[in-house]
Protein backbone atom coordinates (compact mmCIF):
# COMPACT_ATOMS: atom_id res chain seq x y z
CA UNK A 1 0.00 0.00 0.00
CA UNK A 2 1.36 3.41 -0.95
CA UNK A 3 1.94 5.98 1.79
CA UNK A 4 -0.73 8.35 0.49
CA UNK A 5 -3.28 5.55 0.34
CA UNK A 6 -2.46 4.42 3.87
CA UNK A 7 -2.74 7.99 5.17
CA UNK A 8 -6.08 8.46 3.37
CA UNK A 9 -7.51 5.38 5.09
CA UNK A 10 -6.24 6.36 8.54
CA UNK A 11 -7.48 9.91 8.13
CA UNK A 12 -10.91 8.76 7.02
CA UNK A 13 -11.18 6.32 9.94
CA UNK A 14 -10.25 8.97 12.50
CA UNK A 15 -12.29 11.80 11.04
CA UNK A 16 -15.40 9.66 10.79
CA UNK A 17 -15.14 8.62 14.43
CA UNK A 18 -14.18 12.11 15.57
CA UNK A 19 -17.07 13.90 13.85
CA UNK A 20 -19.55 11.25 14.98
CA UNK A 21 -18.47 11.64 18.61
CA UNK A 22 -18.63 15.42 18.36
CA UNK A 23 -22.08 15.31 16.80
CA UNK A 24 -20.81 17.03 13.65
CA UNK A 25 -21.59 14.43 10.99
CA UNK A 26 -23.10 17.11 8.78
CA UNK A 27 -19.60 18.52 8.25
CA UNK A 28 -17.95 15.16 7.62
CA UNK A 29 -18.37 14.69 3.85
CA UNK A 30 -16.96 18.11 3.05
CA UNK A 31 -14.07 17.62 5.45
CA UNK A 32 -13.18 14.18 4.05
CA UNK A 33 -13.04 15.62 0.54
CA UNK A 34 -10.79 18.48 1.73
CA UNK A 35 -8.41 16.02 3.35
CA UNK A 36 -8.32 13.72 0.31
CA UNK A 37 -7.30 16.65 -1.92
CA UNK A 38 -4.72 17.86 0.62
CA UNK A 39 -3.08 14.44 0.89
CA UNK A 40 -3.03 14.01 -2.90
CA UNK A 41 -1.35 17.39 -3.29
CA UNK A 42 1.08 17.49 -0.35
CA UNK A 43 1.42 13.94 0.95
CA UNK A 44 -0.01 14.97 4.33
CA UNK A 45 -2.84 17.01 5.87
CA UNK A 46 -3.37 19.45 8.73
CA UNK A 47 -5.76 18.81 11.59
CA UNK A 48 -8.18 21.54 12.54
CA UNK A 49 -8.02 22.76 16.13
CA UNK A 50 -11.18 20.79 16.87
CA UNK A 51 -9.75 17.59 15.39
CA UNK A 52 -6.46 17.99 17.24
CA UNK A 53 -8.18 18.54 20.59
CA UNK A 54 -10.57 15.62 20.31
CA UNK A 55 -7.90 13.37 18.86
CA UNK A 56 -5.58 14.02 21.80
CA UNK A 57 -8.43 13.26 24.20
CA UNK A 58 -9.28 10.06 22.34
CA UNK A 59 -5.62 9.05 22.60
CA UNK A 60 -5.81 9.38 26.39
CA UNK A 61 -9.01 7.35 26.39
CA UNK A 62 -7.23 4.62 24.45
CA UNK A 63 -4.07 4.54 26.62
CA UNK A 64 -3.94 0.97 27.88
CA UNK A 65 -1.49 1.67 30.69
CA UNK A 66 -3.42 4.54 32.28
CA UNK A 67 -5.74 4.01 35.25
CA UNK A 68 -6.90 7.66 35.18
CA UNK A 69 -8.80 7.62 31.90
CA UNK A 70 -12.13 8.61 33.47
CA UNK A 71 -11.10 12.24 32.97
CA UNK A 72 -10.13 12.01 29.30
CA UNK A 73 -12.68 14.60 28.21
CA UNK A 74 -11.19 17.21 30.58
CA UNK A 75 -7.79 17.28 28.85
CA UNK A 76 -6.70 20.86 28.11
CA UNK A 77 -5.12 20.93 24.63
CA UNK A 78 -2.56 23.66 23.92
CA UNK A 79 -1.98 24.00 20.17
CA UNK A 80 1.70 24.84 19.70
CA UNK A 81 2.04 23.72 16.09
CA UNK A 82 2.89 27.22 14.89
CA UNK A 83 6.05 27.52 16.97
CA UNK A 84 9.25 27.31 14.94
CA UNK A 85 12.34 27.79 17.10
CA UNK A 86 13.71 25.86 20.04
CA UNK A 87 13.48 29.03 22.12
CA UNK A 88 9.77 29.38 21.36
CA UNK A 89 9.22 25.74 22.24
CA UNK A 90 11.12 26.06 25.52
CA UNK A 91 8.97 29.04 26.49
CA UNK A 92 5.84 27.05 25.67
CA UNK A 93 7.03 24.10 27.77
CA UNK A 94 7.58 26.36 30.77
CA UNK A 95 4.11 27.82 30.16
CA UNK A 96 2.75 24.26 30.13
CA UNK A 97 4.37 23.54 33.49
CA UNK A 98 2.89 26.70 35.01
CA UNK A 99 -0.54 26.21 33.46
CA UNK A 100 -0.82 22.54 34.39
CA UNK A 101 0.45 23.10 37.93
CA UNK A 102 -2.26 25.73 38.49
CA UNK A 103 -0.94 26.45 41.99
CA UNK A 104 -1.49 22.82 42.95
CA UNK A 105 -4.97 22.32 41.49
CA UNK A 106 -3.51 20.34 38.60
CA UNK A 107 -5.06 20.56 35.15
CA UNK A 108 -4.67 17.61 32.74
CA UNK A 109 -2.86 19.26 29.85
CA UNK A 110 -1.12 18.47 26.57
CA UNK A 111 1.02 20.76 24.41
CA UNK A 112 1.14 19.63 20.78
CA UNK A 113 4.03 20.85 18.64
CA UNK A 114 4.46 20.56 14.89
CA UNK A 115 3.79 17.14 13.34
CA UNK A 116 6.12 14.94 11.36
CA UNK A 117 6.39 16.16 7.78
CA UNK A 118 7.67 14.31 4.71
CA UNK A 119 10.22 17.05 4.00
CA UNK A 120 11.33 17.98 7.52
CA UNK A 121 13.13 16.35 10.42
CA UNK A 122 11.25 15.64 13.62
CA UNK A 123 11.23 18.06 16.50
CA UNK A 124 11.99 16.13 19.71
CA UNK A 125 11.97 16.79 23.43
CA UNK A 126 14.77 14.69 24.91
CA UNK A 127 13.37 14.67 28.46
CA UNK A 128 11.40 11.66 29.70
CA UNK A 129 9.36 14.10 31.78
CA UNK A 130 9.54 17.89 31.64
CA UNK A 131 10.39 17.89 35.34
CA UNK A 132 12.73 15.23 36.63
CA UNK A 133 15.67 15.05 38.99
CA UNK A 134 19.25 14.51 37.83
CA UNK A 135 21.25 11.41 38.66
CA UNK A 136 25.03 11.69 39.13
CA UNK A 137 27.19 8.59 39.13
CA UNK A 138 29.81 8.63 41.91
CA UNK A 139 31.68 5.35 41.70
CA UNK A 140 29.14 2.65 42.43
CA UNK A 141 26.76 5.17 44.01
CA UNK A 142 24.30 7.63 42.48
CA UNK A 143 23.47 11.07 43.84
CA UNK A 144 19.87 11.82 42.88
CA UNK A 145 17.65 9.69 40.68
CA UNK A 146 19.37 6.69 39.07
CA UNK A 147 16.81 6.59 36.27
CA UNK A 148 18.21 9.90 35.01
CA UNK A 149 21.94 9.09 34.86
CA UNK A 150 22.21 8.74 31.06
CA UNK A 151 20.15 11.84 30.38
CA UNK A 152 22.10 13.77 33.03
CA UNK A 153 25.36 12.81 31.31
CA UNK A 154 23.90 13.94 27.98
CA UNK A 155 22.92 17.30 29.50
CA UNK A 156 26.42 17.73 30.92
CA UNK A 157 27.94 17.01 27.49
CA UNK A 158 25.72 19.78 26.12
CA UNK A 159 27.15 22.22 28.69
CA UNK A 160 24.66 22.05 31.56
CA UNK A 161 25.87 21.53 35.11
CA UNK A 162 23.83 20.95 38.27
CA UNK A 163 24.56 21.46 41.93
CA UNK A 164 24.88 17.69 42.46
CA UNK A 165 22.18 17.49 45.12
CA UNK A 166 19.68 14.59 45.29
CA UNK A 167 17.00 16.83 43.78
CA UNK A 168 18.46 18.92 40.95
CA UNK A 169 15.83 19.70 38.31
CA UNK A 170 17.16 18.78 34.88
CA UNK A 171 17.01 21.25 32.00
CA UNK A 172 14.73 21.01 28.99
CA UNK A 173 16.51 19.65 25.91
CA UNK A 174 14.99 20.30 22.49
CA UNK A 175 16.22 19.17 19.09
CA UNK A 176 14.89 20.38 15.76
CA UNK A 177 15.61 17.86 13.04
CA UNK A 178 19.31 17.37 12.45
CA UNK A 179 20.29 20.57 14.26
CA UNK A 180 22.33 20.22 17.47
CA UNK A 181 20.11 19.93 20.56
CA UNK A 182 19.72 22.94 22.82
CA UNK A 183 19.18 22.98 26.58
CA UNK A 184 17.11 25.45 28.59
CA UNK A 185 16.98 25.76 32.37
CA UNK A 186 13.56 25.41 33.97
CA UNK A 187 12.95 28.49 36.17
CA UNK A 188 12.83 27.58 39.85
CA UNK A 189 9.60 29.52 40.31
CA UNK A 190 7.89 27.35 37.70
CA UNK A 191 8.52 24.07 39.53
CA UNK A 192 6.21 23.37 42.45
CA UNK A 193 7.75 20.82 44.80
CA UNK A 194 6.22 19.11 47.80
CA UNK A 195 8.32 18.69 50.96
CA UNK A 196 7.52 15.27 52.35
CA UNK A 197 6.54 14.59 55.95
CA UNK A 198 4.53 12.00 57.83
CA UNK A 199 1.40 12.68 59.90
CA UNK A 200 2.75 10.64 62.85
CA UNK A 201 6.51 10.16 62.45
CA UNK A 202 8.24 13.48 63.09
CA UNK A 203 11.62 11.98 62.15
CA UNK A 204 10.45 11.50 58.56
CA UNK A 205 10.88 15.21 57.82
CA UNK A 206 14.54 14.80 58.67
CA UNK A 207 15.01 12.72 55.52
CA UNK A 208 14.58 16.01 53.61
CA UNK A 209 12.71 14.29 50.82
CA UNK A 210 10.59 16.12 48.29
CA UNK A 211 8.95 15.47 44.94
CA UNK A 212 7.61 17.60 42.14
CA UNK A 213 3.89 18.26 41.81
CA UNK A 214 3.20 17.40 38.17
CA UNK A 215 4.31 14.38 36.11
CA UNK A 216 4.52 15.66 32.52
CA UNK A 217 5.41 12.81 30.16
CA UNK A 218 7.41 14.21 27.24
CA UNK A 219 9.03 11.29 25.40
CA UNK A 220 5.96 9.84 23.68
CA UNK A 221 4.64 10.30 20.16
CA UNK A 222 0.99 11.23 19.66
CA UNK A 223 -0.62 9.64 16.61
CA UNK A 224 -3.95 10.94 15.30
CA UNK A 225 -5.44 9.86 11.99
CA UNK A 226 -2.08 8.88 10.51
CA UNK A 227 -0.40 12.14 11.56
CA UNK A 228 2.50 11.77 13.99
CA UNK A 229 3.33 14.36 16.64
CA UNK A 230 6.76 13.43 18.07
CA UNK A 231 6.68 16.31 20.56
CA UNK A 232 3.44 16.29 22.57
CA UNK A 233 4.09 16.39 26.34
CA UNK A 234 1.05 15.65 28.51
CA UNK A 235 0.13 15.31 32.16
CA UNK A 236 -2.51 14.27 34.60
CA UNK A 237 -1.86 14.21 38.34
CA UNK A 238 0.00 11.68 40.43
CA UNK A 239 -1.40 8.51 41.88
CA UNK A 240 0.40 8.32 45.21
CA UNK A 241 1.95 4.91 44.58
CA UNK A 242 3.84 6.24 41.55
CA UNK A 243 5.98 8.20 44.00
CA UNK A 244 5.66 6.14 47.17
CA UNK A 245 5.92 2.64 45.71
CA UNK A 246 8.16 3.29 42.71
CA UNK A 247 10.11 6.56 42.48
CA UNK A 248 11.19 6.66 46.12
CA UNK A 249 10.88 2.95 46.96
CA UNK A 250 12.42 0.98 44.08
CA UNK A 251 15.89 -0.38 44.81
CA UNK A 252 17.15 1.10 41.55
CA UNK A 253 15.61 4.51 42.29
CA UNK A 254 15.83 6.36 45.64
CA UNK A 255 15.54 3.12 47.69
CA UNK A 256 14.11 4.72 50.85
CA UNK A 257 12.55 1.58 52.37
CA UNK A 258 15.61 0.33 54.33
CA UNK A 259 15.96 3.76 55.96
CA UNK A 260 12.24 3.85 56.68
CA UNK A 261 12.44 0.44 58.33
CA UNK A 262 15.43 1.47 60.45
CA UNK A 263 13.62 4.50 61.85
CA UNK A 264 10.44 2.50 62.37
CA UNK A 265 12.40 -0.04 64.40
CA UNK A 266 11.51 -2.93 62.12
CA UNK A 267 13.44 -6.19 61.94
CA UNK A 268 14.95 -6.41 58.46
CA UNK A 269 16.82 -9.70 58.87
CA UNK A 270 14.10 -11.75 57.19
CA UNK A 271 11.65 -10.89 54.45
CA UNK A 272 9.02 -12.86 56.36
CA UNK A 273 8.74 -10.05 58.92
CA UNK A 274 7.10 -8.07 56.10
CA UNK A 275 9.24 -5.06 56.97
CA UNK A 276 9.18 -3.90 53.37
CA UNK A 277 5.39 -3.94 53.32
CA UNK A 278 5.11 -1.99 56.58
CA UNK A 279 7.65 0.60 55.47
CA UNK A 280 6.02 0.86 52.03
CA UNK A 281 2.59 1.61 53.46
CA UNK A 282 3.93 4.35 55.74
CA UNK A 283 5.92 5.89 52.89
CA UNK A 284 2.72 6.08 50.85
CA UNK A 285 0.86 7.55 53.81
CA UNK A 286 3.50 10.29 53.90
CA UNK A 287 3.14 11.01 50.17
CA UNK A 288 -0.63 11.39 50.28
CA UNK A 289 -0.52 13.42 53.49
CA UNK A 290 2.17 15.80 52.20
CA UNK A 291 0.52 16.51 48.86
CA UNK A 292 -2.82 17.19 50.52
CA UNK A 293 -1.19 19.44 53.11
CA UNK A 294 0.38 21.45 50.28
CA UNK A 295 -2.89 21.62 48.33
CA UNK A 296 -1.53 19.62 45.40
CA UNK A 297 -3.83 17.25 43.49
CA UNK A 298 -3.12 13.56 44.05
CA UNK A 299 -5.18 10.37 44.19
CA UNK A 300 -4.75 7.21 46.24
CA UNK A 301 -4.79 3.88 44.42
CA UNK A 302 -8.11 2.71 45.89
CA UNK A 303 -9.90 5.85 44.69
CA UNK A 304 -8.15 5.63 41.31
CA UNK A 305 -9.37 2.04 40.87
CA UNK A 306 -12.94 3.10 41.67
CA UNK A 307 -12.62 5.91 39.13
CA UNK A 308 -11.43 3.40 36.55
CA UNK A 309 -14.53 1.30 37.25
CA UNK A 310 -16.63 4.37 36.44
CA UNK A 311 -14.63 4.80 33.23
CA UNK A 312 -15.39 1.20 32.28
CA UNK A 313 -19.09 1.77 32.88
CA UNK A 314 -19.07 4.95 30.80
CA UNK A 315 -17.29 3.24 27.92
CA UNK A 316 -19.72 0.34 28.02
CA UNK A 317 -22.61 2.81 27.86
CA UNK A 318 -20.96 4.41 24.80
CA UNK A 319 -20.58 0.96 23.16
CA UNK A 320 -16.81 1.21 23.26
CA UNK A 321 -14.52 -1.66 24.24
CA UNK A 322 -12.22 -1.02 27.21
CA UNK A 323 -8.69 -2.15 26.44
CA UNK A 324 -5.89 -2.21 28.98
CA UNK A 325 -2.54 -3.59 30.03
CA UNK A 326 -3.32 -5.40 33.28
CA UNK A 327 0.24 -5.28 34.61
CA UNK A 328 0.16 -1.48 34.46
CA UNK A 329 -3.41 -0.92 35.58
CA UNK A 330 -3.04 -2.79 38.87
CA UNK A 331 -1.52 -0.53 41.54
CA UNK A 332 1.86 -1.56 43.00
CA UNK A 333 0.43 -1.52 46.53
CA UNK A 334 -2.39 -3.91 47.56
CA UNK A 335 -3.50 -4.66 44.00
CA UNK A 336 -5.77 -7.54 45.06
CA UNK A 337 -7.96 -5.09 46.99
CA UNK A 338 -9.04 -3.49 43.68
CA UNK A 339 -11.48 -4.87 41.12
CA UNK A 340 -8.83 -4.47 38.41
CA UNK A 341 -6.77 -7.32 39.85
CA UNK A 342 -9.67 -9.72 39.33
CA UNK A 343 -10.50 -8.56 35.79
CA UNK A 344 -9.00 -9.39 32.40
CA UNK A 345 -8.29 -6.75 29.77
CA UNK A 346 -7.27 -7.10 26.15
CA UNK A 347 -4.04 -5.21 25.45
CA UNK A 348 -5.16 -4.11 22.01
CA UNK A 349 -3.83 -0.90 20.47
CA UNK A 350 -6.65 1.43 19.45
CA UNK A 351 -5.97 4.67 17.58
CA UNK A 352 -5.50 7.56 18.27
CA UNK A 353 -2.86 6.76 20.89
CA UNK A 354 0.51 7.60 22.44
CA UNK A 355 3.65 5.60 21.65
CA UNK A 356 7.11 5.43 23.18
CA UNK A 357 10.04 6.60 21.08
CA UNK A 358 13.77 5.79 21.24
CA UNK A 359 15.71 8.26 23.41
CA UNK A 360 17.83 10.48 21.10
CA UNK A 361 20.64 10.68 23.67
CA UNK A 362 21.06 6.91 23.59
CA UNK A 363 21.68 6.79 19.85
CA UNK A 364 25.07 6.00 18.34
CA UNK A 365 25.24 9.43 16.74
CA UNK A 366 25.22 11.42 19.99
Amino acid sequence: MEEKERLQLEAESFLTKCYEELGSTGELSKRLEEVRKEIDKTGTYVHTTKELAHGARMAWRNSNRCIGRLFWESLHVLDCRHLQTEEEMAEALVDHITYATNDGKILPTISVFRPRHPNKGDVRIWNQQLIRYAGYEEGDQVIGDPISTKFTQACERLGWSGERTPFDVLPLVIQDGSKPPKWFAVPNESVKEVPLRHPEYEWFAGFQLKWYAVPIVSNMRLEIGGIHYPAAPFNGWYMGTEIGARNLADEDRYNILPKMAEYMGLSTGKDSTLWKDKALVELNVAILYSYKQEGVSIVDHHTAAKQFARFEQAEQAANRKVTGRWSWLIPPVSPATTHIFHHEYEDETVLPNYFYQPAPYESDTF
Side-chain angles (χ1 to χ4, degrees):
M1 183 183 297
E2 292 185 2
E3 182 62 23
K4 283 186 178 181
E5 184 181 356
R6 180 199 60 79
L7 184 56
Q8 291 275 18
L9 291 173
E10 294 188 21
E12 182 175 347
S13 175
F14 161 68
L15 292 170
T16 300
K17 187 180 296 183
C18 175
Y19 279 72
E20 285 176 353
E21 292 186 7
L22 293 173
S24 304
T25 52
E27 306 170 23
L28 181 58
S29 295
K30 180 182 177 182
R31 180 61 179 145
L32 287 175
E33 183 60 26
E34 290 174 349
V35 169
R36 288 191 195 102
K37 291 179 179 178
E38 192 174 356
I39 293 174
D40 283 339
K41 183 177 181 180
T42 68
T44 186
Y45 72 103
V46 178
H47 288 128
T48 66
T49 301
K50 176 171 70 173
E51 293 161 3
L52 181 72
H54 194 64
R57 293 172 183 137
M58 291 168 72
W60 184 9
R61 187 180 75 201
N62 294 332
S63 295
N64 288 356
R65 300 183 179 194
C66 182
I67 195 175
R69 286 181 267 170
L70 174 64
F71 305 98
W72 67 273
E73 291 178 287
S74 69
L75 182 66
H76 296 252
V77 182
L78 307 180
D79 188 348
C80 301
R81 292 176 292 175
H82 61 287
L83 301 180
Q84 296 297 317
T85 68
E86 297 93 329
E87 288 75 14
E88 290 174 332
M89 286 187 62
E91 183 177 352
L93 294 177
V94 173
D95 288 345
H96 179 139
I97 293 170
T98 303
Y99 179 82
T101 303
N102 192 33
D103 198 30
K105 298 175 179 62
I106 295 170
L107 300 172
T109 304
I110 185 170
S111 293
V112 184
F113 296 90
R114 78 164 191 256
R116 181 171 294 164
H117 191 279
N119 302 320
K120 294 181 180 179
D122 287 354
V123 60
R124 288 291 305 276
I125 300 165
W126 282 25
N127 308 63
Q128 292 180 329
Q129 295 184 14
L130 295 188
I131 305 168
R132 207 160 212 175
Y133 297 123
Y136 308 99
E137 291 184 341
E138 295 281 356
D140 59 353
Q141 303 292 320
V142 174
I143 299 173
D145 195 341
I147 203 171
S148 299
T149 54
K150 288 185 179 180
F151 182 53
T152 301
Q153 291 164 3
C155 292
E156 290 176 329
R157 288 200 293 274
L158 293 174
W160 174 82
S161 61
E163 298 180 6
R164 305 187 81 80
T165 77
F167 299 102
D168 289 352
V169 175
L170 286 158
L172 302 170
V173 178
I174 302 168
Q175 185 173 24
D176 185 356
S178 59
K179 297 178 184 177
K182 295 183 179 181
W183 68 268
F184 302 86
V186 182
N188 291 335
E189 62 271 17
S190 298
V191 181
K192 188 173 185 63
E193 295 175 290
V194 177
L196 303 181
R197 57 251 197 214
H198 193 281
E200 298 176 22
Y201 301 142
E202 293 185 5
W203 46 259
F204 187 89
F207 292 175
Q208 296 185 312
L209 298 173
K210 60 181 177 179
W211 206 257
Y212 48 90
V214 192
I216 308 174
V217 177
S218 51
N219 62 344
M220 298 187 77
R221 168 177 59 85
L222 169 62
E223 182 177 340
I224 304 173
I227 301 298
H228 299 242
Y229 296 93
F234 61 89
N235 70 274
W237 47 76
Y238 268 119
M239 185 168 72
T241 53
E242 295 177 80
I243 307 168
R246 300 303 311 277
N247 300 343
L248 293 177
D250 281 356
E251 291 183 359
D252 58 356
R253 297 292 296 282
Y254 279 82
N255 194 26
I256 297 300
L257 294 187
K259 193 172 183 179
M260 283 284 298
E262 176 188 350
Y263 277 75
M264 290 173 66
L266 302 176
S267 174
T268 60
K270 296 179 180 179
D271 288 341
S272 60
T273 64
L274 302 186
W275 67 267
K276 292 180 182 179
D277 306 73
K278 295 175 183 177
L280 188 64
V281 168
E282 294 303 332
L283 178 56
N284 279 272
V285 167
I287 301 299
L288 294 170
Y289 173 78
S290 301
Y291 272 64
K292 290 175 180 177
Q293 286 292 109
E294 292 292 316
V296 176
S297 303
I298 197 166
V299 64
D300 67 88
H301 51 289
H302 297 292
T303 300
K306 291 175 181 177
Q307 291 171 346
F308 189 73
R310 289 168 55 196
F311 169 73
E312 293 176 277
Q313 293 164 3
E315 290 301 285
Q316 184 177 16
N319 293 315
R320 288 191 292 260
K321 178 181 177 181
V322 176
T323 58
R325 182 168 295 184
W326 183 88
S327 60
W328 274 70
L329 292 176
I330 58 170
V333 175
S334 306
T337 63
T338 70
H339 80 282
I340 299 171
F341 183 86
H342 308 279
H343 193 87
E344 292 184 358
Y345 300 91
E346 187 173 343
D347 190 11
E348 174 189 349
T349 300
V350 180
L351 298 174
N353 217 313
Y354 301 94
F355 299 91
Y356 285 103
Q357 307 176 97
Y361 54 87
E362 293 183 353
S363 71
D364 295 334
T365 59
F366 177 69

